[in-house]
Amino acid sequence: MNLQSDVSVSEQVMANAIRVLAMDAVQAANSGHPGAPMGLADVATVLFNRFMRVDPAKDKWPDRDRFVMSAGHGSMLVYAINHLLGYDDMDMDQLRNFRQMGYRTAGHPEYGHAKGIETTTGPLGQGIATAVGMALAERMQNARFGDDLVDHYTYVIAGDGCLMEGISHEAIDFAGHMNLGRLILFWDDNKITIDGSTELSTSMDQQARFKAAGWHVQSVDGHHHDAIATAIEAARTNDKPSLIACRTVIGKGAPNKGGSHKVHGAPLGEEEIKATREVLNWPHPAFEIPAEVKSAWEAIAEKGARLRKSWEDRLEASPARDDFAKSNAAPDSAAVDSAMNAYKARLSADRPKVATRKASEMALEVVNATLPNMIGGSADLTGSNNTRTSAMRPVSRDDYSGDYIHYGIREHGMAAAMNGIALHGGFVPYGGTFLVFADYCRPAIRLSALMGVPVTYVMTHDSIGLGEDGPTHQPVETIASLRAIPNLCVIRPADAVEAAEAWQIAVVSGRTPTVLCLSRQGLPTLRTAHTDANMTARGAYVLREMPQRDVTLIATGSEVELALSAADILAQKGVQAAVVSAPSFELFNQQDAAYRAQVLGDAPRVGIEAAVRQSWGQILRPEDGFVGMVGFGASAPAPTLFEHFGITPQAAADTALALL
Amino acid sequence: MNLQSDVSVSEQVMANAIRVLAMDAVQAANSGHPGAPMGLADVATVLFNRFMRVDPAKDKWPDRDRFVMSAGHGSMLVYAINHLLGYDDMDMDQLRNFRQMGYRTAGHPEYGHAKGIETTTGPLGQGIATAVGMALAERMQNARFGDDLVDHYTYVIAGDGCLMEGISHEAIDFAGHMNLGRLILFWDDNKITIDGSTELSTSMDQQARFKAAGWHVQSVDGHHHDAIATAIEAARTNDKPSLIACRTVIGKGAPNKGGSHKVHGAPLGEEEIKATREVLNWPHPAFEIPAEVKSAWEAIAEKGARLRKSWEDRLEASPARDDFAKSNAAPDSAAVDSAMNAYKARLSADRPKVATRKASEMALEVVNATLPNMIGGSADLTGSNNTRTSAMRPVSRDDYSGDYIHYGIREHGMAAAMNGIALHGGFVPYGGTFLVFADYCRPAIRLSALMGVPVTYVMTHDSIGLGEDGPTHQPVETIASLRAIPNLCVIRPADAVEAAEAWQIAVVSGRTPTVLCLSRQGLPTLRTAHTDANMTARGAYVLREMPQRDVTLIATGSEVELALSAADILAQKGVQAAVVSAPSFELFNQQDAAYRAQVLGDAPRVGIEAAVRQSWGQILRPEDGFVGMVGFGASAPAPTLFEHFGITPQAAADTALALL
């Protein structure tokens, strides 16, 4: 399908409009990156003019093509295009105020700031890996709803930086393995990085590299419009994911600075801008686009609107209409609550002693039976993370109808792909690894939080309690480091009931991603009295109250059991110790002051967590006690380690006594 | 050079000794990974028996070959070999107590726990990337001292997991670019991951992938000794880095479980162990090695000792003897102190107003002129990180004599390579990126800290002060997340003097890595009275005292200037505000209680840092005030952002007044 417009303005002029807007906006901001948008203007113009299916009037149309600017520093390419297409939130005033407070035109494209931005980019490589998730979601949704309703492409533009970053390897390998034929990646092969020529730092044969990963590979002159179009057409019809290596001149159009790293991340300067206007034969003032040029771009939007309308007609006529709508809507929280409350009642009666990773699996059995669009997965630790429930089937290149993804040993790629799956819509993704390897996917977790994407990270083996694998595998600072990330909900359940409540929170969290920190070792059910109230959602609550508190023991996860034992020891000494379970500091911080004060009490406090103290500053005062880790762990059986590092009921009791 | 021993015991028996020790140790521990050591026993035996040059009696001999077990879960391979070679700290009792408290045989190989462990591995892919640093250091040292003194190989064993991880891409690309011909990587191509067959998660043509990166590639039957030897010989003589794809059977020797993922990470069980003994024709009890087998292995050590002695003779006769010794010794702290004190005196007189990233460069000019073996670098942000001083020359494949490394857009690979350079010895590495991208290299930073490797991370653009690049580039939680890592010294200098003192600390830090958090924006010199005392080394100190403190303002980095202005505002209202500069919380925590109490004082406190409050728990009490960030940043000029987020002198003064 070739959608070339019947327009009187040439594509070259359309492309030059991008160039001029980019250079003028960067100049006005006195900061930014003109090189990439100017170099990529031809590729982007051909892509949008002849292929892209988007409708600015309905920017969330589910079957739209996705466009991801992985080289996010080239954000002016996106803003210029979206302005020219006629997105109503991207008027010229936005471009004039590029990178200014209160405008949507942030230095890097920010998801949620403006329409038509499919994901936040800027940290290099993330766009590619997120797009892989989008393209996989498209195939998974297609497998469920067919070509009539789901039939779109994911286009990505990446630079040398994206392709040097490690995450690109994970994404490319995974995309090749999953044979994501509707993923088309343009490589802005301009031979320039910030430090200078790419020859300074890489000798990679990128085309051979992509072929090794099972991609379809082409190369074109990135300024030859028909060649670009021919390549895109071939990429679309090939059943493999496609790389189109576009040989470009960075800052194309700038006669003196184009082609050099000087144009990468700095304004051109008034003189060079004047010279560029002459080269491009563009006599118009800054931020003025001739009506016929704007019309040529708006014709793309008009085509998109027609396509969107005919898609809506198909949806209206489809027997799957309601199911499709449901799959794209927020998860049914009432159904989740109902199923979970019944399950919690059984738990409080059965009182299983299981690791919280196992309890997570048990809760997931309930969730996955309730919500039809859950997508599980693990970075090659399925049996350890307990992420695959009984009815789940693998997603594969031969069968996208499954609901469990073997992400491989690719934590970073998994996290970014989950972002992409969630951003695409239609699915609620979760994925597992060991908690300590949160470090391997931290940049993508940060983006989950920054974008407000409700993915769930199932992080097991959450302390020295994992035992013999030793300090490389034992998270001591990881929980604190995750609690530091804004808009990330970290939950460390103490037993099967809290694990159920944690999932109840996670799957309907809306605009907040969740990290579940789960034990390897077995833990008894502590919440033996059933209540429909989700106590975990309070963040912390009094698990054992005392008529007159002498001390309050506050613990999380596997250490809550320990706190109860410590309270027993203290009771024998006539000391009244209340025990607070605090599964989520973020949720606790959201409670009102009165509730917080009631839970924490006035007595001296002892925090207990097999981790560093750092993140306890809002709960513990400097004079309060803490039982936890001060350095890295060691390799030994878990009970030995808790003894060795002094994380025991006796140590907690002694710490409490020392405070009194 | 083929070093095959003249021994009566066959290499097959030597290899079987590894297999049996591995399976028995895992069985005794009732946890661990027998599959990899058993599958790799042949490759490792051929490598050690015919090629490796190590001397267990002098495990730190500088010109030894390096062996890195990147697939660290196969640690029993290392322990078995090191026992058989006769390392005096690896007696049979260590193997009997694999993964037990107090023994050197941790679940994964831990640098510093036992001799012959060149780096800590376990987090997958780190071993490869660290080895790249070692191999580069070998070439750099060779360029300085010649073949007589520096002429060794770096051998790495990696599994499928290592090659799926993104960091492997960064390492492989960089190694190919640098043409590290003495780096030889064995890929344990056993087609098995934890979840099952590699077909579940990857379709990568690994050999083509390595060729694309400029590597020499071979494949062999990983159980055919002569074929392995021939491949190693070819790899050693080829001038490119080499991949040897070794087709192996995981758990080779175990008749029922071998070749399946069941043998990856669980003990074989008594029955299978018995069956394996029969298959291997190994009638000896657990943890007993026949004398002739031990002798065959010890012959390797004897060869190594002879080679080491002749190397020592060459060193003794070399005119470069003293320089070589100096380059391998700890940096000359007296020389650094002397140069830095003179420089600091100039600073206090000149009082430059510069960004601390620039101040870092100025300090580095002093350091690099004083220490001949500093190795700088940046992940493609040289001009932004200010990491290249005036006399530095790039290291390249054509000239390893340089001292500045263009790491490319590979933060993770850079960090791991710096670990490798430091572990190799001979150099003091530092490398730069933006602070927010600490997340991209966090797993390698964690290993710097866990191993106690004194590398320095130059992290610039350390707050919303970077301005227009926006929230993806603005670290708000990054400083806290780094302070959470044990044995990592985070320093955020306030001015040029503190930046100088920070470098003075970092380059002689011994067993602690350092992260410097540096501003993009200009900052005045605040320490205008010179003292030789390194005040930054105290972690925090009173910059402006008051006769009677009403409040103490405590700030770091760019916010110290702001605190001084706030104190001026308060003074106008008759409030006496002391100002504390707190460049390093870790160093402050190491001070005695009296000093800490004197600095912090009894008055109400206001912390000021353009970041989240989390890591301030040891300095601020819950009732104290904090002026900083509570969420992500935004894209706008820096002054607008500080105003927008309320991080201003007036806000700090108001916070103080509210406390009084």
Side-chain angles (χ1 to χ4, degrees):
Chain A
M1 175 165 46
N2 186 313
L3 301 168
Q4 177 151 26
S5 302
D6 175 22
V7 291
S8 53
V9 169
S10 76
E11 264 180 347
Q12 190 58 61
V13 174
M14 293 171 74
N16 287 346
I18 295 174
R19 292 192 164 93
V20 173
L21 287 172
M23 74 177 184
D24 287 340
V26 171
Q27 187 69 24
N30 196 28
S31 86
H33 299 75
M38 295 177 77
L40 288 161
D42 297 306
V43 170
T45 300
V46 173
L47 171 65
F48 273 81
N49 193 38
R50 307 198 201 181
F51 299 97
M52 274 297 286
R53 296 179 305 189
V54 290
D55 179 7
K58 288 223 172 175
D59 62 299
K60 292 291 184 190
W61 165 34
D63 201 33
R64 72 193 179 279
D65 288 338
R66 296 333 191 245
F67 175 69
V68 173
M69 182 64 183
S70 189
H73 52 276
S75 57
M76 266 311 301
L77 181 77
V78 181
Y79 304 142
I81 289 171
N82 288 0
H83 168 77
L84 291 165
L85 288 173
Y87 280 87
D88 63 5
D89 64 348
M90 194 53 67
D91 61 23
M92 196 62 95
D93 206 38
Q94 292 291 334
L95 274 58
R96 249 185 235 113
N97 289 284
F98 180 48
R99 295 181 151 230
Q100 303 307 307
M101 179 59 72
Y103 289 86
R104 298 188 177 88
T105 43
H108 295 80
E110 300 283 345
Y111 175 75
H113 284 214
K115 297 176 182 176
I117 296 173
E118 301 285 1
T119 184
T120 294
T121 53
L124 294 173
Q126 295 292 335
I128 299 176
T130 305
V132 167
M134 294 177 182
L136 180 59
E138 193 268 350
R139 282 296 87 187
M140 293 193 297
Q141 208 175 29
N142 174 276
R144 286 154 174 80
F145 296 102
D147 291 347
D148 263 9
L149 299 188
V150 184
D151 177 22
H152 54 269
Y153 287 83
T154 303
Y155 299 101
V156 190
I157 295 183
D160 292 295
C162 291
L163 298 193
M164 280 198 225
E165 290 286 359
I167 189 174
S168 69
H169 168 61
E170 301 184 18
I172 290 165
D173 188 359
F174 184 63
H177 181 67
M178 285 291 179
N179 205 34
L180 300 175
R182 276 145 186 277
L183 176 66
I184 297 175
L185 173 59
F186 300 92
W187 166 34
D188 183 17
D189 179 17
N190 61 26
K191 311 275 187 211
I192 294 292
T193 73
I194 291 174
D195 272 8
S197 163
T198 51
E199 286 175 15
L200 278 176
S201 57
T202 185
S203 308
M204 179 64 78
D205 179 343
Q206 292 288 1
Q207 296 186 43
R209 174 195 175 201
F210 277 80
K211 281 180 197 154
W215 285 53
H216 170 240
V217 173
Q218 302 172 83
S219 65
V220 295
D221 175 346
H223 303 299
H224 188 306
H225 290 209
D226 285 341
I228 296 164
T230 302
I232 295 173
E233 191 60 48
R236 287 162 55 97
T237 49
N238 190 287
D239 67 356
K240 296 178 181 177
S242 275
L243 173 75
I244 304 177
C246 303
R247 188 69 186 88
T248 61
V249 176
I250 191 169
K252 170 86 172 174
N256 303 305
K257 295 186 175 176
S260 96
H261 69 121
K262 288 177 201 158
V263 80
H264 170 87
L268 295 186
E270 293 297 352
E271 197 172 332
E272 181 76 352
I273 282 180
K274 189 161 170 249
T276 305
R277 278 196 149 69
E278 282 168 22
V279 167
L280 298 179
N281 191 24
W282 191 275
H284 322 292
F287 304 114
E288 285 190 30
I289 299 292
E292 66 276 16
V293 179
K294 192 74 166 60
S295 294
W297 275 96
E298 285 170 351
I300 299 169
E302 287 154 19
K303 279 183 312 195
R306 288 194 296 275
L307 289 162
R308 187 259 306 162
K309 279 173 197 148
S310 66
W311 177 87
E312 283 174 348
D313 292 342
R314 292 199 299 279
L315 177 66
E316 191 61 32
S318 168
R321 186 184 60 181
D322 292 345
D323 284 347
F324 186 79
K326 202 171 157 189
S327 85
N328 284 286
D332 182 344
S333 64
V336 171
D337 288 348
S338 165
M340 211 48 102
N341 286 336
Y343 168 64
K344 275 171 59 186
R346 289 201 302 278
L347 280 180
S348 294
D350 296 349
R351 303 181 185 183
K353 178 168 180 173
V354 291
T356 48
R357 61 176 170 144
K358 178 66 183 172
S360 165
E361 182 187 355
M362 292 158 59
L364 270 172
E365 290 283 3
V366 177
V367 170
N368 291 352
T370 306
L371 299 178
N373 54 349
M374 297 291 291
I375 296 290
S378 167
D380 197 49
L381 289 169
T382 295
S384 299
N385 301 145
N386 297 71
T387 33
R388 183 172 168 181
T389 53
S390 52
M392 281 184 148
R393 292 183 305 108
V395 179
S396 76
R397 63 193 296 153
D398 301 316
D399 183 1
Y400 297 108
S401 73
D403 49 9
Y404 190 81
I405 302 176
H406 289 284
Y407 285 104
I409 300 137
R410 305 187 188 98
E411 300 82 8
H412 205 174
M414 173 176 76
M418 289 203 293
N419 285 340
I421 292 169
L423 289 165
H424 177 277
F427 301 101
V428 178
Y430 68 85
T433 185
F434 289 160
L435 178 57
V436 80
F437 298 133
D439 282 1
Y440 269 73
C441 45
R442 189 172 169 89
I445 297 176
R446 187 179 204 263
L447 282 182
S448 304
L450 178 58
M451 292 191 283
V453 175
V455 301
T456 302
Y457 295 92
V458 182
M459 302 294 204
T460 70
H461 296 58
D462 70 350
S463 76
I464 55 167
L466 67 83
E468 291 89 343
D469 273 344
T472 56
H473 283 52
Q474 288 161 358
V476 296
E477 80 287 16
T478 318
I479 300 173
S481 78
L482 292 168
R483 286 179 183 145
I485 299 178
N487 192 39
L488 182 67
C489 184
V490 179
I491 310 181
R492 189 169 187 245
D495 69 357
V497 176
E498 286 190 4
E501 291 176 341
W503 270 111
Q504 194 178 1
I505 295 162
V507 293
V508 297
S509 71
R511 292 185 51 78
T512 301
T514 306
V515 175
L516 303 181
C517 305
L518 303 170
S519 75
R520 179 193 184 208
Q521 71 272 31
L523 301 172
T525 298
L526 305 175
R527 287 266 297 286
T528 50
H530 173 69
T531 163
D532 274 2
N534 187 324
M535 298 307 295
T536 300
R538 305 304 296 266
Y541 60 93
V542 180
L543 185 63
R544 182 190 291 178
E545 191 52 288
M546 284 287 161
Q548 176 80 35
R549 288 193 202 182
D550 295 318
V551 64
T552 303
L553 308 179
I554 307 165
T556 78
S558 50
E559 283 69 74
V560 178
E561 176 190 11
L562 189 159
L564 290 168
S565 300
D568 292 341
I569 294 173
L570 290 166
Q572 288 165 9
K573 297 184 190 275
V575 174
Q576 296 196 33
V579 175
V580 169
S581 178
S584 173
F585 291 5
E586 295 80 17
L587 295 172
F588 187 56
N589 283 341
Q590 291 169 16
Q591 308 304 310
D592 61 43
Y595 177 78
R596 287 173 49 86
Q598 176 232 314
V599 169
L600 296 177
D602 296 324
R605 300 168 195 161
V606 177
I608 315 171
E609 186 170 67
V612 298
R613 178 170 176 157
Q614 181 180 284
S615 53
W616 284 71
Q618 299 285 314
I619 290 177
L620 299 180
R621 300 153 294 197
E623 67 273 19
D624 288 327
F626 183 72
V627 174
M629 300 289 290
V630 293
F632 292 107
S635 172
T640 308
L641 290 171
F642 279 101
E643 198 68 42
H644 176 80
F645 289 109
I647 305 175
T648 61
Q650 189 62 53
D654 290 346
T655 302
L657 290 171
L659 289 177
L660 300 178
Chain B
M1 176 167 45
N2 185 312
L3 301 169
Q4 177 153 24
S5 302
D6 175 20
V7 289
S8 53
V9 169
S10 77
E11 264 181 349
Q12 189 58 61
V13 173
M14 292 172 73
N16 288 345
I18 295 175
R19 291 193 165 93
V20 173
L21 287 173
M23 75 177 182
D24 287 339
V26 171
Q27 186 69 24
N30 197 28
S31 86
H33 300 75
M38 295 177 77
L40 289 162
D42 297 306
V43 169
T45 300
V46 172
L47 171 64
F48 274 81
N49 193 38
R50 306 198 200 181
F51 299 96
M52 275 297 287
R53 296 179 304 189
V54 290
D55 179 6
K58 289 225 172 175
D59 62 297
K60 293 290 186 190
W61 166 33
D63 201 32
R64 71 192 180 280
D65 288 339
R66 295 338 190 241
F67 175 69
V68 174
M69 181 65 183
S70 189
H73 51 277
S75 57
M76 266 311 303
L77 181 78
V78 181
Y79 303 142
I81 289 170
N82 288 0
H83 167 77
L84 292 165
L85 288 172
Y87 280 88
D88 63 6
D89 63 348
M90 193 53 66
D91 61 23
M92 195 62 94
D93 206 38
Q94 292 291 334
L95 273 59
R96 250 185 234 111
N97 289 284
F98 178 48
R99 295 180 151 232
Q100 304 306 307
M101 179 59 73
Y103 289 85
R104 298 188 177 89
T105 43
H108 295 80
E110 299 283 345
Y111 175 75
H113 284 214
K115 297 176 182 175
I117 296 173
E118 301 285 2
T119 182
T120 294
T121 52
L124 293 174
Q126 295 292 334
I128 299 175
T130 306
V132 167
M134 294 176 182
L136 181 58
E138 193 269 351
R139 284 296 86 188
M140 293 193 297
Q141 209 175 27
N142 173 277
R144 286 154 174 79
F145 296 102
D147 291 346
D148 263 8
L149 298 187
V150 184
D151 178 23
H152 54 269
Y153 286 84
T154 303
Y155 298 102
V156 190
I157 295 183
D160 291 296
C162 291
L163 297 193
M164 280 198 227
E165 290 288 359
I167 189 174
S168 70
H169 168 62
E170 301 184 20
I172 289 165
D173 188 0
F174 184 62
H177 181 67
M178 285 292 178
N179 206 33
L180 302 176
R182 276 144 185 278
L183 176 66
I184 298 176
L185 172 60
F186 301 92
W187 167 33
D188 183 17
D189 178 18
N190 60 26
K191 311 275 187 211
I192 294 294
T193 74
I194 291 174
D195 273 8
S197 162
T198 51
E199 286 176 12
L200 278 175
S201 57
T202 184
S203 307
M204 179 65 78
D205 179 342
Q206 291 289 359
Q207 296 185 42
R209 174 194 176 201
F210 277 80
K211 280 180 197 155
W215 285 52
H216 170 238
V217 172
Q218 303 171 83
S219 65
V220 295
D221 175 346
H223 304 298
H224 188 307
H225 290 208
D226 284 342
I228 296 164
T230 302
I232 295 173
E233 191 59 50
R236 285 162 56 96
T237 49
N238 190 288
D239 68 354
K240 296 178 181 177
S242 274
L243 173 74
I244 304 178
C246 303
R247 187 71 186 87
T248 60
V249 176
I250 191 170
K252 170 87 171 172
N256 304 304
K257 294 185 175 175
S260 95
H261 69 120
K262 288 176 198 159
V263 80
H264 171 87
L268 295 185
E270 292 298 351
E271 197 174 331
E272 181 76 351
I273 282 181
K274 190 162 167 248
T276 305
R277 278 196 149 67
E278 282 168 20
V279 167
L280 298 180
N281 191 24
W282 190 276
H284 322 291
F287 303 115
E288 284 190 29
I289 299 291
E292 68 274 16
V293 179
K294 191 74 166 63
S295 294
W297 275 97
E298 285 170 354
I300 299 169
E302 287 155 19
K303 278 184 313 196
R306 288 195 296 275
L307 288 163
R308 186 259 306 162
K309 279 173 198 149
S310 68
W311 177 86
E312 283 175 349
D313 292 344
R314 292 199 299 278
L315 178 65
E316 191 60 30
S318 169
R321 187 183 59 180
D322 292 345
D323 284 347
F324 186 79
K326 200 170 157 189
S327 84
N328 284 285
D332 182 345
S333 63
V336 172
D337 288 348
S338 164
M340 210 49 102
N341 286 336
Y343 168 64
K344 275 170 59 185
R346 290 201 301 279
L347 281 179
S348 294
D350 295 349
R351 304 181 184 182
K353 177 169 180 170
V354 291
T356 47
R357 61 178 171 144
K358 179 65 183 173
S360 164
E361 182 187 357
M362 292 157 59
L364 270 172
E365 290 283 3
V366 178
V367 170
N368 291 351
T370 306
L371 299 178
N373 54 349
M374 297 291 291
I375 296 291
S378 168
D380 196 50
L381 288 169
T382 296
S384 298
N385 300 145
N386 296 71
T387 34
R388 183 173 169 179
T389 54
S390 52
M392 282 185 147
R393 293 183 305 109
V395 179
S396 76
R397 63 191 296 153
D398 301 317
D399 182 1
Y400 297 108
S401 73
D403 49 10
Y404 190 81
I405 301 175
H406 289 283
Y407 286 104
I409 299 134
R410 305 186 188 100
E411 299 82 8
H412 204 175
M414 173 177 75
M418 289 203 293
N419 285 339
I421 292 168
L423 288 165
H424 178 276
F427 301 101
V428 178
Y430 67 86
T433 185
F434 289 159
L435 178 58
V436 79
F437 298 134
D439 282 1
Y440 268 73
C441 46
R442 187 171 171 91
I445 297 175
R446 186 178 204 262
L447 283 183
S448 305
L450 178 58
M451 292 192 282
V453 175
V455 303
T456 301
Y457 295 91
V458 182
M459 303 294 204
T460 69
H461 297 58
D462 70 350
S463 77
I464 55 168
L466 67 83
E468 293 88 343
D469 274 344
T472 56
H473 284 52
Q474 288 162 357
V476 296
E477 80 287 14
T478 318
I479 299 173
S481 78
L482 292 168
R483 287 179 182 146
I485 299 178
N487 191 40
L488 181 68
C489 185
V490 179
I491 309 181
R492 188 167 187 245
D495 69 356
V497 177
E498 285 190 3
E501 292 176 339
W503 270 111
Q504 194 178 0
I505 295 161
V507 293
V508 296
S509 72
R511 292 185 50 79
T512 301
T514 305
V515 175
L516 304 181
C517 305
L518 303 170
S519 77
R520 178 192 183 208
Q521 70 273 31
L523 301 173
T525 298
L526 306 175
R527 287 264 298 284
T528 50
H530 172 68
T531 162
D532 274 2
N534 187 325
M535 297 306 295
T536 300
R538 306 303 297 264
Y541 60 93
V542 180
L543 186 64
R544 181 189 292 177
E545 190 53 287
M546 283 287 161
Q548 176 80 37
R549 287 195 202 181
D550 294 318
V551 64
T552 304
L553 308 178
I554 307 165
T556 78
S558 48
E559 284 69 74
V560 178
E561 176 190 14
L562 188 158
L564 289 168
S565 300
D568 292 342
I569 294 173
L570 289 167
Q572 288 166 11
K573 296 182 189 278
V575 174
Q576 296 195 34
V579 175
V580 169
S581 179
S584 173
F585 291 4
E586 295 81 17
L587 295 173
F588 186 56
N589 284 340
Q590 291 169 17
Q591 308 304 310
D592 61 44
Y595 178 78
R596 286 173 49 84
Q598 176 232 313
V599 170
L600 296 177
D602 296 325
R605 300 169 194 161
V606 177
I608 314 170
E609 185 170 68
V612 298
R613 177 171 176 157
Q614 181 177 289
S615 53
W616 284 71
Q618 299 285 316
I619 290 176
L620 299 181
R621 300 151 295 196
E623 68 271 20
D624 287 328
F626 183 73
V627 174
M629 299 290 289
V630 293
F632 293 107
S635 172
T640 308
L641 290 171
F642 280 101
E643 197 69 42
H644 175 79
F645 289 109
I647 305 174
T648 61
Q650 189 61 55
D654 291 346
T655 302
L657 290 171
L659 290 177
L660 300 177

